[in-house]
Amino acid sequence: MSEAASTESIQLQVLDSVIYGAAKAFEYLGIQGQEMLDKVGEGILDYCIKKGFIKRVDDPQQFAFGIVAFFKNNGYVADVEFSQDGEVITLTMRDWSYMPLLSRLRNQNCFLLSCPLCLANNSLRRSNSLGWKAINERVTADGDYTIQFRVVPLSAASNVPPEPYNMSNVKAESNRGKRIGLPAFEATEYGLARAFDYLGAQAQLLLDNVGSGAVEFLQSELHVQLPKNHRKSLQELSSFYSQGGLADSIDLNLSDSKLEAAFTKYRYAPVLERLLDEGYRLTSCPFTLAARAVLRNAGFAATSMQWRVLDDRNAEMEMELRVAGQEFDEDKIGRMMDSA
Amino acid sequence: MSSEAYTSVAESLEDLEKPVLLALIDPIRYQDAVVGLLRYFTAKVPRGIYVSLNKPFAVLTKSFDKAGIQTGNLFFVDGITNVPAIEENQDHSCLGSGVDLSNLCIGISKAVNRNADEKFIVLDSLSTLLIYNDSRAVAKFAHLLTEKMRRWNASGSLMTVEMNAERDVVSQLAPFCDKVVKI
């Protein structure tokens, strides 16, 4: 197996902020939101294969084992126990890093699954025109999660979560201080940026929803204090994400028309470089998504974002801003249209 | 799938001669919906204007050609390709990315006034405008555009992809359109 054992890592909370945001971002679509989230899985697999983290093999089950091994090696799950009886599959996840998020999301009645390991597997099944239908699930006192599901032909009725298990009594350990291998972080971030490219520029709205969810996660789960003053809030975000290992430092320069950020030893740089090389316009840097949400709440709209990847994993970002509530004078513009 | 979107549009609009439509598009079916809408309008009206705020016209023409849509009679107003200054060509004009609402209105008017032929207008999409503008301004823009479309005797569609951000716009705009169709 060629699944990369990671040498470099990043705090899990950095990734958690965006995958929590992703689950919240598609909640409005109901269960159909899972189909959108599963698109992230396509990008995860693509990145892993292109970077040689996972080998593509023809046998779907072996491929799925490869995906599991990749996430295990990157510290996302300690072990996955698998058994199959005909079409019924039973999976038990031990020390699964998604457990605290699953519990939190379920307790908010959000049933979408944004675990990167699951999204990658969902995507693999979809590519074989298969989905899954949950039969039941349970969580033990030590947080081991077991799900039993049936593999079914792909349809709108597949990829449906089980009858919601009551998670209010589940004491999932927080991910505070836990780390995840950089390859798994990179693959998930790449998947997120690429997933909605087919929608064109408007996909930024979806990523902005992810950013709002990330800010909600930081405030409610991690108790990061984001003051009303957006300048101070951006500094808080910069401290949080630097401490989490997204970059050694994130230096900001903010005016009313521009936000400039300089990232030193930026762990998102390999993803950014690949996205730019492949011609993708959207990016998924957790700091930037959260910063856009803070700026939007302060009444600014980002009209464009330019990135420069420098050497040695340093990068710069320039975001042009304008006040979002600019007036639109219908009469005046109507007259201009008549004489155009 | 595109025939499903086409059928849904055609059935919804069968009694209307020059419909101005508000199309609410499921994000999962976006590409099929765009093709379905264009197929409907190109079959009814000889010329059309496609206002793209999402994808460069060069990308769109290729994908429309691939879907079997005649692009020869389409004029593209491109509000996404980065250009140093406004560019005008035979089949498209580029307004630059993140174009403001006033310049977008003027760009559309110029495209309409290129010739006197009957035409349709498709705006792709109001959702993109919500990235840079507040929903009140986008609603006013859309209101003005629908009013002008009627004055120009043009049919067409304003598209909005359901992104959880456009609810205000939809409720404000619905009364000014002949039909709201979910695709």
Side-chain angles (χ1 to χ4, degrees), chain A residues 28 32 198 201-202 330 338, chain B residues 27 54-55 125 143 148 162:
Chain A
Y28 74 99
Q32 252 200 325
Y198 72 99
Q202 64 198 337
E330 275 182 87
D338 291 339
Chain B
N54 277 313
K55 294 183 181 178
S125 70
H143 177 229
K148 293 290 178 197
E162 293 187 276

Side-chain angles (χ1 to χ4, degrees), chain A residues 151-202:
Chain A
V151 175
V152 294
L154 188 61
S155 73
S158 54
N159 289 12
V160 176
E163 279 300 305
Y165 184 84
N166 181 358
M167 298 253 174
S168 57
N169 295 323
V170 173
K171 291 205 168 37
E173 237 178 77
S174 145
N175 281 338
R176 209 174 279 266
K178 283 193 182 172
R179 302 184 74 83
I180 180 174
L182 214 47
F185 167 76
E186 287 175 13
T188 310
E189 285 290 335
Y190 177 83
L192 186 61
R194 229 197 59 170
F196 316 113
D197 185 71
Y198 72 99
L199 288 169
Q202 64 198 337

Side-chain angles (χ1 to χ4, degrees), chain A residues 24-25 28-29 32-33 35-36 39 156 197-206 208-209 281 292 296 300-304 306 322-331 333-340, chain B residues 26-31 53-56 80 82 97-102 105-106 109-110 113 124-125 127-128 130-134 136-137 140-141 143-145 148 151-152 161-167:
Chain A
K24 297 291 277 188
Y28 74 99
L29 285 172
Q32 252 200 325
E35 197 173 336
M36 293 297 279
K39 291 182 187 295
D197 185 71
Y198 72 99
L199 288 169
Q202 64 198 337
Q204 186 63 56
L205 270 181
L206 293 177
D208 283 349
N209 290 346
R281 299 171 69 106
R292 287 178 68 101
R296 206 169 44 255
F300 291 97
T303 52
S304 73
Q306 302 297 330
R322 74 170 177 228
V323 177
Q326 277 173 352
E327 272 305 306
F328 181 83
D329 186 334
E330 275 182 87
D331 292 336
I333 296 167
R335 285 195 297 276
M336 286 161 75
M337 286 174 89
D338 291 339
S339 58
Chain B
D26 175 345
I28 293 166
R29 325 236 174 277
Y30 169 70
Q31 281 160 318
L53 304 171
N54 277 313
K55 294 183 181 178
I80 180 76
N82 260 326
S97 69
V99 60
D100 68 34
L101 295 175
S102 335
C105 284
I106 292 164
S109 284
K110 282 186 175 170
N113 291 332
D124 175 11
S125 70
S127 310
T128 319
L130 287 168
I131 302 171
Y132 318 118
N133 303 280
D134 70 10
R136 221 171 32 143
K140 281 185 179 179
F141 158 83
H143 177 229
L144 178 62
L145 184 58
K148 293 290 178 197
R151 201 177 301 169
W152 294 328
V161 178
E162 293 187 276
M163 304 264 199
N164 206 24
E166 62 294 304
R167 284 182 186 153

Side-chain angles (χ1 to χ4, degrees), chain A residues 14 27 63 162 227 309:
Chain A
V14 172
E27 214 184 344
F63 197 176
V309 183

Side-chain angles (χ1 to χ4, degrees), chain A residues 15 29-30 35 55 65 69 78 90 94 130 157 161 191 239 263 300 319:
Chain A
L15 182 65
L29 285 172
E35 197 173 336
K55 209 181 271 173
F65 289 156
T90 306
R94 300 195 200 291
L130 294 172
S239 306
F263 301 85
F300 291 97
M319 189 189 287

Side-chain angles (χ1 to χ4, degrees), chain A residues 114-189:
Chain A
S114 58
C115 155
L117 162 59
C118 309
L119 297 182
N121 270 309
N122 281 355
S123 160
L124 171 62
R125 263 184 231 109
R126 277 183 190 279
S127 67
N128 290 300
S129 302
L130 294 172
W132 55 275
K133 211 163 206 171
I135 300 168
N136 64 53
E137 65 178 347
R138 58 184 185 275
V139 185
T140 64
D142 1 335
D144 288 350
Y145 172 87
T146 300
I147 185 163
Q148 202 172 40
F149 60 91
R150 191 181 299 280
V151 175
V152 294
L154 188 61
S155 73
S158 54
N159 289 12
V160 176
E163 279 300 305
Y165 184 84
N166 181 358
M167 298 253 174
S168 57
N169 295 323
V170 173
K171 291 205 168 37
E173 237 178 77
S174 145
N175 281 338
R176 209 174 279 266
K178 283 193 182 172
R179 302 184 74 83
I180 180 174
L182 214 47
F185 167 76
E186 287 175 13
T188 310
E189 285 290 335

